[in-house]
Coordinates of all heavy atoms in Angstrom, one line a residue:
M1 N 0.9 -1.2 0.0 CA 0.0 0.0 0.0 C 0.9 1.2 0.0 O 1.9 1.3 0.7 CB -0.9 0.0 1.2 CG -1.9 1.1 1.3 SD -3.0 1.1 2.7 CE -3.9 -0.4 2.4
S2 N 0.5 2.2 -0.8 CA 1.4 3.4 -0.9 C 1.2 4.3 0.3 O 0.2 4.2 1.1 CB 0.9 4.2 -2.1 OG -0.3 4.8 -1.9
K3 N 2.2 5.1 0.6 CA 2.2 6.0 1.7 C 1.0 7.0 1.6 O 0.4 7.3 2.6 CB 3.5 6.8 1.8 CG 4.6 6.0 2.4 CD 5.9 6.8 2.6 CE 7.0 6.0 3.1 NZ 8.2 6.8 3.4
D4 N 0.7 7.5 0.4 CA -0.4 8.4 0.3 C -1.7 7.8 0.6 O -2.6 8.4 1.3 CB -0.5 9.0 -1.2 CG 0.6 10.0 -1.4 OD1 1.1 10.6 -0.5 OD2 0.9 10.2 -2.6
K5 N -1.9 6.5 0.2 CA -3.2 5.8 0.5 C -3.2 5.5 2.0 O -4.3 5.7 2.6 CB -3.3 4.5 -0.3 CG -4.6 3.8 -0.1 CD -4.9 3.0 -1.3 CE -6.2 2.3 -1.2 NZ -7.3 3.0 -1.8
L6 N -2.1 5.1 2.6 CA -2.1 4.9 4.0 C -2.4 6.1 4.8 O -3.1 6.1 5.8 CB -0.7 4.3 4.4 CG -0.6 3.9 5.9 CD1 -1.6 2.8 6.3 CD2 0.8 3.4 6.2
R7 N -1.8 7.3 4.4 CA -2.0 8.5 5.1 C -3.5 8.9 5.0 O -4.1 9.4 5.9 CB -1.2 9.6 4.5 CG -1.3 11.0 5.2 CD -0.4 12.0 4.7 NE 0.1 11.7 3.3 CZ 1.3 12.2 2.9 NH1 2.0 12.9 3.6 NH2 1.7 11.9 1.7
Y8 N -4.1 8.7 3.8 CA -5.6 9.0 3.6 C -6.4 8.2 4.6 O -7.3 8.7 5.2 CB -6.0 8.8 2.2 CG -7.5 8.8 2.0 CD1 -8.1 10.1 2.0 CD2 -8.2 7.7 1.8 CE1 -9.5 10.1 1.8 CE2 -9.6 7.8 1.6 CZ -10.2 9.0 1.6 OH -11.6 9.1 1.4
I9 N -6.1 6.9 4.7 CA -6.9 6.0 5.5 C -6.7 6.4 7.0 O -7.7 6.5 7.7 CB -6.4 4.5 5.3 CG1 -6.9 4.1 4.0 CG2 -7.0 3.6 6.4 CD1 -6.3 2.7 3.6
S10 N -5.5 6.8 7.4 CA -5.2 7.2 8.8 C -5.9 8.5 9.1 O -6.5 8.6 10.1 CB -3.7 7.3 9.0 OG -3.1 6.1 8.8
T11 N -5.9 9.5 8.2 CA -6.5 10.7 8.4 C -8.0 10.6 8.5 O -8.6 11.1 9.4 CB -6.2 11.7 7.2 OG1 -4.8 11.9 7.2 CG2 -6.8 13.1 7.4
R12 N -8.6 9.8 7.6 CA -10.0 9.5 7.6 C -10.4 8.9 8.9 O -11.4 9.2 9.5 CB -10.4 8.7 6.4 CG -11.9 8.5 6.2 CD -12.2 7.8 5.0 NE -11.6 6.4 5.1 CZ -11.7 5.5 4.2 NH1 -12.3 5.8 3.0 NH2 -11.2 4.3 4.4
L13 N -9.7 7.9 9.4 CA -10.0 7.2 10.6 C -9.9 8.1 11.8 O -10.8 8.1 12.6 CB -9.0 6.0 10.8 CG -9.2 5.2 12.0 CD1 -10.6 4.5 12.0 CD2 -8.1 4.1 12.2
V14 N -8.9 9.0 11.9 CA -8.8 9.9 13.0 C -9.9 10.9 13.0 O -10.5 11.2 14.0 CB -7.4 10.6 12.9 CG1 -7.4 11.8 13.9 CG2 -6.3 9.7 13.2
E15 N -10.3 11.4 11.8 CA -11.4 12.4 11.7 C -12.7 11.7 12.2 O -13.4 12.3 12.9 CB -11.5 12.9 10.3 CG -10.4 13.8 9.9 CD -10.5 14.2 8.4 OE1 -11.3 13.6 7.6 OE2 -9.8 15.1 8.0
R16 N -12.9 10.5 11.7 CA -14.2 9.8 12.1 C -14.2 9.6 13.6 O -15.2 9.8 14.3 CB -14.3 8.5 11.3 CG -15.6 7.9 11.4 CD -15.8 6.7 10.4 NE -14.7 6.5 9.5 CZ -14.2 5.4 9.2 NH1 -14.7 4.3 9.6 NH2 -13.2 5.3 8.3
K17 N -13.1 9.0 14.2 CA -13.1 8.7 15.6 C -13.2 9.9 16.5 O -13.9 9.9 17.5 CB -11.9 7.9 15.9 CG -11.8 6.5 15.3 CD -12.8 5.6 15.9 CE -12.7 4.2 15.3 NZ -13.6 3.3 15.8
S18 N -12.5 11.0 16.1 CA -12.5 12.2 16.9 C -13.9 12.9 16.8 O -14.3 13.4 17.9 CB -11.4 13.2 16.5 OG -11.6 13.6 15.2
S19 N -14.5 12.9 15.7 CA -15.8 13.5 15.6 C -16.8 12.7 16.5 O -17.6 13.3 17.2 CB -16.3 13.4 14.1 OG -17.6 13.9 14.0
K20 N -16.7 11.4 16.5 CA -17.6 10.6 17.3 C -17.4 10.9 18.8 O -18.3 11.0 19.6 CB -17.4 9.1 17.0 CG -18.3 8.2 17.7 CD -18.1 6.7 17.4 CE -19.0 5.9 18.2 NZ -18.7 4.4 18.0
A21 N -16.1 11.0 19.2 CA -15.7 11.2 20.6 C -16.2 12.6 21.0 O -16.8 12.7 22.1 CB -14.2 11.1 20.7
F22 N -16.1 13.6 20.2 CA -16.6 14.9 20.6 C -18.1 14.9 20.7 O -18.6 15.5 21.7 CB -16.2 16.0 19.5 CG -14.8 16.5 19.8 CD1 -13.7 16.1 19.0 CD2 -14.6 17.4 20.8 CE1 -12.5 16.6 19.3 CE2 -13.3 17.9 21.1 CZ -12.2 17.5 20.3
K23 N -18.8 14.3 19.8 CA -20.3 14.2 19.9 C -20.7 13.5 21.2 O -21.6 13.9 21.9 CB -20.9 13.5 18.7 CG -20.8 14.4 17.5 CD -21.3 13.6 16.2 CE -21.2 14.5 15.0 NZ -21.6 13.8 13.8
E24 N -20.1 12.4 21.5 CA -20.4 11.6 22.7 C -20.1 12.5 24.0 O -20.8 12.5 24.9 CB -19.6 10.3 22.8 CG -20.1 9.3 21.7 CD -19.3 8.0 21.7 OE1 -18.3 7.9 22.5 OE2 -19.7 7.2 20.9
G25 N -18.9 13.2 23.9 CA -18.6 14.0 25.1 C -19.6 15.2 25.3 O -20.0 15.5 26.4
A26 N -20.0 15.8 24.2 CA -21.0 16.9 24.3 C -22.3 16.3 24.8 O -23.0 17.0 25.6 CB -21.2 17.5 22.9
K27 N -22.7 15.2 24.4 CA -24.0 14.6 24.8 C -23.9 14.3 26.3 O -24.8 14.6 27.1 CB -24.2 13.3 24.1 CG -25.5 12.6 24.4 CD -25.8 11.3 23.6 CE -27.0 10.6 24.0 NZ -27.2 9.4 23.3
K28 N -22.8 13.7 26.8 CA -22.6 13.4 28.2 C -22.6 14.7 29.0 O -23.2 14.7 30.1 CB -21.3 12.6 28.4 CG -21.2 12.0 29.8 CD -20.1 11.0 29.8 CE -20.1 10.3 31.1 NZ -19.1 9.2 31.2
A29 N -21.9 15.7 28.5 CA -21.8 17.0 29.3 C -23.2 17.6 29.4 O -23.6 18.1 30.4 CB -20.9 18.0 28.6
M30 N -24.0 17.5 28.3 CA -25.4 18.0 28.3 C -26.2 17.3 29.4 O -27.0 17.9 30.1 CB -26.0 17.9 27.0 CG -27.4 18.4 26.9 SD -27.5 20.2 27.0 CE -27.1 20.7 25.3
E31 N -26.1 15.9 29.5 CA -26.8 15.2 30.4 C -26.4 15.5 31.9 O -27.3 15.6 32.7 CB -26.5 13.7 30.2 CG -27.1 13.1 28.9 CD -26.7 11.7 28.6 OE1 -25.9 11.1 29.4 OE2 -27.2 11.2 27.6
I32 N -25.1 15.7 32.1 CA -24.6 16.0 33.5 C -24.9 17.5 33.9 O -25.4 17.7 35.0 CB -23.1 15.7 33.6 CG1 -22.9 14.2 33.4 CG2 -22.5 16.2 34.9 CD1 -21.4 13.8 33.2
N33 N -24.6 18.4 33.0 CA -24.7 19.8 33.4 C -26.0 20.5 33.0 O -26.4 21.5 33.5 CB -23.6 20.6 32.7 CG -22.2 20.2 33.1 OD1 -22.0 19.8 34.3 ND2 -21.2 20.3 32.2
G34 N -26.6 19.9 32.0 CA -27.9 20.6 31.5 C -27.6 21.6 30.4 O -28.5 22.2 29.9
Y35 N -26.3 21.8 30.1 CA -25.9 22.8 29.0 C -24.5 22.4 28.5 O -23.8 21.7 29.2 CB -25.9 24.2 29.5 CG -24.9 24.5 30.6 CD1 -23.6 25.0 30.2 CD2 -25.2 24.4 31.9 CE1 -22.7 25.3 31.2 CE2 -24.2 24.7 32.9 CZ -23.0 25.1 32.5 OH -22.0 25.4 33.5
V36 N -24.1 23.0 27.4 CA -22.8 22.9 26.9 C -22.4 24.3 26.4 O -23.2 25.1 26.0 CB -22.6 21.9 25.7 CG1 -22.7 20.5 26.2 CG2 -23.5 22.1 24.6
M37 N -21.1 24.6 26.5 CA -20.5 25.9 26.0 C -19.9 25.6 24.6 O -19.1 24.7 24.5 CB -19.5 26.4 26.9 CG -19.9 26.6 28.4 SD -21.0 28.1 28.5 CE -19.8 29.4 28.5
V38 N -20.3 26.4 23.6 CA -19.7 26.2 22.3 C -19.5 27.6 21.7 O -20.0 28.6 22.1 CB -20.7 25.4 21.4 CG1 -20.8 24.0 21.9 CG2 -22.0 26.1 21.2
A39 N -18.6 27.6 20.6 CA -18.4 28.8 19.8 C -19.4 28.7 18.6 O -19.4 27.7 18.0 CB -17.0 28.9 19.3
E40 N -20.1 29.8 18.4 CA -21.1 29.7 17.3 C -21.3 31.1 16.8 O -21.7 32.1 17.6 CB -22.4 29.1 17.9 CG -23.5 29.0 16.9 CD -24.7 28.2 17.4 OE1 -24.7 27.0 17.4 OE2 -25.6 28.9 18.0
N41 N -21.2 31.3 15.5 CA -21.4 32.6 14.9 C -20.7 33.8 15.5 O -21.2 34.9 15.7 CB -22.9 32.9 14.8 CG -23.6 31.9 14.0 OD1 -23.1 31.4 13.0 ND2 -24.9 31.6 14.4
G42 N -19.4 33.6 15.9 CA -18.6 34.6 16.5 C -18.9 34.9 18.0 O -18.4 35.9 18.5
W43 N -19.6 34.0 18.6 CA -19.9 34.1 20.1 C -19.6 32.8 20.8 O -19.7 31.7 20.3 CB -21.4 34.4 20.3 CG -21.8 35.8 19.9 CD1 -22.1 36.4 18.7 CD2 -22.0 36.9 20.9 NE1 -22.4 37.7 18.8 CE2 -22.3 38.0 20.1 CE3 -21.8 37.0 22.3 CZ2 -22.5 39.3 20.7 CZ3 -22.1 38.2 22.9 CH2 -22.4 39.3 22.1
V44 N -19.3 33.0 22.1 CA -19.3 31.8 23.0 C -20.7 31.8 23.5 O -21.2 32.8 24.1 CB -18.3 32.0 24.1 CG1 -18.4 30.8 25.1 CG2 -16.8 32.1 23.6
V45 N -21.4 30.7 23.4 CA -22.8 30.5 23.8 C -22.9 29.3 24.7 O -22.2 28.4 24.6 CB -23.7 30.4 22.6 CG1 -23.7 31.7 21.7 CG2 -23.5 29.2 21.8
K46 N -24.0 29.4 25.5 CA -24.4 28.3 26.4 C -25.7 27.7 25.8 O -26.7 28.4 25.7 CB -24.6 28.9 27.8 CG -24.7 27.8 28.9 CD -25.0 28.4 30.2 CE -23.8 28.8 30.9 NZ -24.0 29.2 32.4
K47 N -25.6 26.5 25.4 CA -26.8 25.8 24.8 C -27.4 24.9 25.9 O -26.7 24.0 26.4 CB -26.4 24.9 23.6 CG -26.1 25.7 22.4 CD -25.9 24.8 21.2 CE -25.8 25.6 19.9 NZ -25.8 24.7 18.7
Y48 N -28.6 25.1 26.2 CA -29.3 24.3 27.2 C -30.1 23.1 26.6 O -30.4 23.1 25.4 CB -30.3 25.2 28.0 CG -29.6 26.3 28.8 CD1 -29.3 27.5 28.3 CD2 -29.2 26.0 30.1 CE1 -28.7 28.5 29.0 CE2 -28.6 26.9 30.9 CZ -28.3 28.2 30.3 OH -27.7 29.1 31.1
E49 N -30.4 22.2 27.5 CA -31.1 21.0 27.1 C -32.4 21.3 26.4 O -32.8 20.6 25.5 CB -31.4 20.1 28.3 CG -30.3 19.2 28.7 CD -30.6 18.3 29.8 OE1 -31.0 18.8 30.9 OE2 -30.5 17.0 29.6
D50 N -33.1 22.3 26.9 CA -34.4 22.6 26.3 C -34.4 23.3 25.0 O -35.4 23.7 24.4 CB -35.3 23.4 27.3 CG -34.7 24.8 27.7 OD1 -33.7 25.2 27.0 OD2 -35.2 25.5 28.5
G51 N -33.1 23.6 24.5 CA -32.9 24.2 23.2 C -32.6 25.7 23.2 O -32.2 26.2 22.2
H52 N -32.9 26.4 24.3 CA -32.6 27.8 24.3 C -31.1 28.1 24.4 O -30.3 27.3 24.9 CB -33.4 28.6 25.3 CG -32.9 28.7 26.7 ND1 -33.1 27.7 27.6 CD2 -32.1 29.6 27.3 CE1 -32.6 28.0 28.7 NE2 -31.9 29.2 28.6
I53 N -30.7 29.2 23.8 CA -29.3 29.6 23.7 C -29.0 30.9 24.4 O -29.8 31.9 24.2 CB -28.8 29.7 22.3 CG1 -28.9 28.3 21.6 CG2 -27.4 30.2 22.1 CD1 -28.7 28.3 20.1
E54 N -28.0 31.0 25.2 CA -27.6 32.2 25.9 C -26.2 32.7 25.4 O -25.3 31.9 25.5 CB -27.6 32.0 27.4 CG -27.1 33.1 28.3 CD -27.0 32.7 29.7 OE1 -27.8 31.8 30.2 OE2 -26.1 33.2 30.4
R55 N -26.2 33.9 24.9 CA -24.9 34.4 24.5 C -24.1 34.8 25.7 O -24.6 35.5 26.6 CB -25.0 35.7 23.6 CG -25.5 35.4 22.2 CD -25.5 36.6 21.4 NE -25.8 36.3 20.0 CZ -25.9 37.3 19.1 NH1 -25.8 38.5 19.4 NH2 -26.1 36.9 17.8
V56 N -22.8 34.4 25.7 CA -22.0 34.6 26.9 C -21.0 35.7 26.6 O -20.9 36.7 27.3 CB -21.2 33.3 27.3 CG1 -20.3 33.6 28.5 CG2 -22.2 32.2 27.7
K57 N -20.2 35.6 25.5 CA -19.2 36.6 25.2 C -18.9 36.6 23.7 O -18.8 35.5 23.1 CB -17.9 36.4 26.0 CG -16.9 37.4 25.7 CD -15.7 37.3 26.7 CE -14.7 38.3 26.3 NZ -14.1 38.9 27.3
E58 N -18.8 37.8 23.1 CA -18.4 37.8 21.7 C -16.9 37.5 21.5 O -16.1 37.9 22.4 CB -18.7 39.2 21.1 CG -18.5 39.3 19.6 CD -19.0 40.6 19.1 OE1 -19.1 41.6 19.8 OE2 -19.2 40.7 17.8
I59 N -16.6 36.7 20.5 CA -15.2 36.3 20.3 C -14.5 37.4 19.5 O -15.0 37.9 18.4 CB -15.2 35.0 19.5 CG1 -15.8 33.9 20.2 CG2 -13.7 34.7 19.1 CD1 -16.0 32.6 19.4
S60 N -13.4 38.0 20.0 CA -12.7 39.0 19.3 C -11.8 38.3 18.3 O -11.2 37.3 18.6 CB -11.9 39.9 20.3 OG -10.9 39.1 21.0
H61 N -11.7 38.9 17.2 CA -10.9 38.4 16.1 C -9.6 39.2 16.0 O -9.6 40.2 15.3 CB -11.6 38.3 14.8 CG -12.9 37.5 14.8 ND1 -12.8 36.1 14.8 CD2 -14.2 37.8 15.0 CE1 -14.0 35.6 14.9 NE2 -14.8 36.6 15.0
G62 N -8.6 38.8 16.6 CA -7.3 39.5 16.5 C -7.0 40.3 17.8 O -7.9 40.6 18.5
S63 N -5.8 40.6 18.0 CA -5.3 41.3 19.1 C -4.0 42.0 18.8 O -3.2 41.5 18.1 CB -5.2 40.4 20.3 OG -4.6 41.0 21.4
D64 N -3.9 43.2 19.4 CA -2.6 43.9 19.2 C -1.5 43.2 19.9 O -0.3 43.4 19.6 CB -2.7 45.3 19.8 CG -3.7 46.2 18.9 OD1 -3.9 45.8 17.8 OD2 -4.2 47.1 19.5
N65 N -1.8 42.3 20.9 CA -0.8 41.6 21.7 C -0.3 40.4 21.0 O 0.7 39.7 21.5 CB -1.3 41.3 23.1 CG -1.7 42.5 23.8 OD1 -1.0 43.5 23.7 ND2 -2.7 42.4 24.7
Q66 N -0.9 40.0 19.9 CA -0.4 38.7 19.2 C 0.6 39.1 18.1 O 0.5 40.1 17.5 CB -1.6 38.1 18.6 CG -2.6 37.5 19.6 CD -3.8 36.9 19.0 OE1 -4.2 37.1 17.8 NE2 -4.5 36.0 19.7
K67 N 1.5 38.2 18.0 CA 2.6 38.4 16.9 C 2.5 37.2 16.0 O 2.2 36.0 16.4 CB 3.9 38.4 17.6 CG 4.2 39.7 18.4 CD 5.6 39.6 19.0 CE 5.8 40.8 19.9 NZ 7.2 40.7 20.5
L68 N 2.8 37.4 14.7 CA 2.9 36.3 13.8 C 4.4 36.0 13.5 O 5.1 36.9 13.1 CB 2.2 36.7 12.5 CG 2.3 35.7 11.3 CD1 1.7 34.3 11.7 CD2 1.7 36.2 10.1
I69 N 4.8 34.8 13.9 CA 6.2 34.5 13.7 C 6.3 33.4 12.7 O 5.7 32.3 12.9 CB 6.8 34.0 15.0 CG1 6.7 35.2 16.0 CG2 8.3 33.6 14.8 CD1 7.2 34.8 17.4
L70 N 7.0 33.6 11.6 CA 7.2 32.6 10.6 C 8.5 32.0 10.7 O 9.5 32.6 10.8 CB 7.0 33.2 9.2 CG 5.7 33.9 8.9 CD1 5.7 34.6 7.6 CD2 4.5 32.9 9.0
D71 N 8.6 30.6 10.7 CA 9.9 29.9 10.8 C 10.5 29.9 9.5 O 10.0 29.8 8.5 CB 9.7 28.5 11.4 CG 9.2 28.5 12.8 OD1 9.6 29.5 13.5 OD2 8.6 27.6 13.2

């Protein structure tokens, strides 16, 4: 099997497994806490079990304190 094909299979497997793990974790957190915190449409929001959403904080895009360093 070629390295490219092996890399594709590995990448696909990791994406599938990690997606499943995040969904299961979010479901469990919802069951335990009654809400989950997520980033959505430029905001950090709290999603509740009953479906309502509470905006917590707007996500700022960029900062004067950040530097871009290229190797």
Side-chain angles (χ1 to χ4, degrees):
M1 184 178 294
S2 71
K3 285 186 179 182
D4 286 337
K5 186 151 180 100
L6 183 61
R7 183 175 20 205
Y8 171 74
I9 291 170
S10 297
T11 301
R12 189 176 62 180
L13 181 64
V14 168
E15 287 174 352
R16 194 173 349 144
K17 294 291 186 179
S18 62
S19 178
K20 183 179 178 186
F22 275 104
K23 287 177 184 176
E24 289 175 1
K27 183 179 176 184
K28 191 169 189 174
M30 182 69 80
E31 291 171 359
I32 293 169
N33 297 326
Y35 67 89
V36 291
M37 302 286 282
V38 297
E40 185 174 271
N41 298 325
W43 283 82
V44 174
V45 299
K46 196 183 268 192
K47 287 188 169 185
Y48 291 92
E49 277 183 302
D50 64 6
H52 83 275
I53 296 172
E54 175 185 327
R55 285 182 170 179
V56 176
K57 183 171 176 141
E58 190 171 16
I59 298 171
S60 63
H61 298 283
S63 171
D64 294 335
N65 297 328
Q66 293 179 337
K67 295 180 184 177
L68 176 62
I69 300 172
L70 302 174
D71 291 333

